[in-house]
Amino acid sequence: MNARYKPGEFAKKINRSIGTLRIWDKNGKLPAHRLPSGHRYYTEEDYYKALSLEQPQIQKKTVIYARVSSAKQKQDLIRQIEALERFCLARGYIIDEVIEEIGGGLNYTRPQFLRLMAMIENQQIGILVIAFKDRLCRFGFEYFEHFLKSHEGKLIVANTQT
C-alpha cells in the first residue's frame, strides 16, 4: 500500500493524461505529493481518490513479540509469552499473532524481527506488545517506537519501570 507512482505511471494506471494530473494538482482536485527535489508523485491512496473508489481497509493485528538470547532460555521464552498473554487478556486485547524468537538483541537481521518490521511497514500491526524494551532491541528503541507510530501502530511495553 506504500507504492509511489511517477506522474506518467499514475496517469496510465488511472487512464488519464499527465496534463489532466497537472490540472487536478493545480485546482486541488487531486494534489500531487512532492519529494524534497520538487518531483511529483502519487500513492495508492491517490489511486482510490482519482477513481472515486473506497480504499480497502487493512485489518490491523494485535501482536505479541517475545525474544530470548539463547536456546538455554527456552523456558524463559515460554514464561514471557504466557505473561504477555495474561497482560493482554487483562486489558481486553485480542491477540492475533504471537511472534517468538531466539537471538541476540544486537542482531537486527533476526528472521522474526525482520518479518515484524515488514508487517509494521505494511501497516498490518495496530498494537505491538513486548515484555521489556530490550526484548525488541538493545539499542535504538526510540527509533523503532517512532517507526511503529509513523505506520499507525501502537507499542505497549508490559513491564515498564517508572
Side-chain angles (χ1 to χ4, degrees), residues 9-34:
E9 296 169 334
F10 190 72
K12 197 176 280 187
K13 186 172 176 77
I14 65 168
N15 200 24
R16 299 289 191 278
S17 70
I18 294 175
T20 299
L21 291 180
R22 279 193 204 107
I23 292 168
W24 287 356
D25 184 26
K26 189 174 181 176
N27 69 19
K29 181 177 178 179
L30 187 66
H33 303 273
R34 298 202 187 279

